[in-house]
Amino acid sequence: MTIRVLVADDQEIVRTGLTMILDAQPDIEVVGEAADGREAVGLARKLRPDVCLFDIRMPGMDGIEATRQLAGPNVGDPLAVVVITTFDLDEYVHGALKAGARGFLLKDAGPDLLTQAIRAAAEGDALIAPSITARLLTAFAGTRAGEPPVEPLEPLSSREEEILIPVAKGWTNHEIADQMHISISTVKTHLASLMRKLNARNRVEIAMWAYETGRIGA
């Protein structure tokens, strides 16, 4: 199955480069390009791509607001969004993840990590650049100091507690399955249970909860 991608960046040369990298993959096709967030939201609603790849700093409407409109908590049928930026700033990452992004990459991440993030998002996984995952999630937890972590609707099982750690480290479903010697479907079942118990929309919010509760740290 071909993964259909929408690319949004205000710099034409960047859009062209990203498109060339993605179109070179046998299982990925760029189906649209946008120069700003407003155009990106309109195209995304029209084309319904499998994954949206958005720059953060765009004129008119930035990538975070575009992500919120397409994948935010009030969106009934959210799209998968991966955010990519030149700037390694905590507030950008926090804003993107809270807006519903399934991935966050720096533009120097390289083609391999870029395509991995696209594939992960299409499969329902989330990928944050490994170089910044621990620091940023820990920093996010720090910003909530004084706020009690959300209490689970039900206690987590011992298996769910085990899976929580690799999820917080940014592992994909395949990596978790291989490491724990269980099937992909079993991993997905545990993740679905974790999301239900933690009232989390995606695995990024599961990871945030793990950091907030001190189950894992940098």
Side-chain angles (χ1 to χ4, degrees), residues 9-11 35-39 55-63:
D9 194 293
D10 61 325
Q11 296 183 359
D36 60 67
R38 198 173 306 280
E39 182 184 8
D55 183 27
I56 282 189
R57 296 182 66 172
M58 293 187 289
M61 179 189 295
D62 65 18

Side-chain angles (χ1 to χ4, degrees), residues 27-107:
D27 59 336
I28 300 176
E29 177 189 6
V30 175
V31 295
E33 297 181 29
D36 60 67
R38 198 173 306 280
E39 182 184 8
V41 170
L43 272 178
R45 287 172 174 164
K46 177 181 178 182
L47 299 174
R48 300 297 299 179
D50 299 304
V51 181
C52 299
L53 180 63
F54 290 169
D55 183 27
I56 282 189
R57 296 182 66 172
M58 293 187 289
M61 179 189 295
D62 65 18
I64 293 177
E65 179 57 30
T67 299
R68 185 176 295 110
Q69 292 197 19
L70 296 172
N74 297 320
V75 178
D77 188 14
L79 291 172
V81 179
V82 173
V83 171
I84 185 167
T85 182
T86 306
F87 304 96
D88 181 9
L89 298 178
D90 288 353
E91 66 258 33
Y92 284 173
V93 184
H94 300 159
L97 298 183
K98 294 302 286 185
R102 285 192 191 169
F104 188 98
L105 294 175
L106 299 177
K107 287 183 179 177

